[in-house]
Amino acid sequence: MTSIGELKTKGVAAIETALAEHTEAVVSVRGNDRFVVMDLAHYHYLRECELDAALAQTRADLTTGRFVEESPDDHLKRIEALPDPAE
């Protein structure tokens, strides 16, 4: 873990030190974990995993029939009829 104070005094060197031992570094602010820093290659790997998971879920939905086939107008009407999650 790296504190914001370390980042202020040591800069990128604090992150490099943390990432030398771990794939991710947690940055704390006032004792609370707030941010995660990682090597860009690791970030791209995680994004690819996320996209693979979404593709697998979509394929499963298609296989089991969990989808709606409709015109664009009907789709917009159905979406507009949904309750507003902000309310």
Side-chain angles (χ1 to χ4, degrees):
M1 185 178 331
T2 302
S3 71
I4 199 73
E6 285 180 274
L7 286 178
K8 287 179 181 178
T9 59
K10 297 179 183 175
V12 175
I15 294 171
E16 289 173 336
T17 300
L19 292 179
E21 299 174 16
H22 306 284
T23 57
E24 299 160 353
V26 176
V27 178
S28 65
V29 178
R30 294 185 200 101
N32 297 312
D33 295 347
R34 291 283 313 269
F35 305 100
V36 175
V37 180
M38 65 187 73
D39 181 85
L40 189 58
H42 185 63
Y43 170 78
H44 286 302
Y45 167 75
L46 293 176
R47 285 290 295 145
E48 188 173 332
C49 290
E50 185 178 43
L51 294 171
D52 286 343
L55 182 57
Q57 183 176 355
T58 299
R59 287 181 175 152
D61 287 344
L62 290 171
T63 299
T64 59
R66 287 188 306 253
F67 64 92
V68 175
E69 194 170 335
E70 61 193 357
S71 72
D73 288 335
D74 288 341
H75 177 73
L76 290 174
K77 288 177 189 172
R78 184 169 55 85
I79 297 298
E80 289 168 357
L82 292 173
D84 186 349
E87 294 178 353

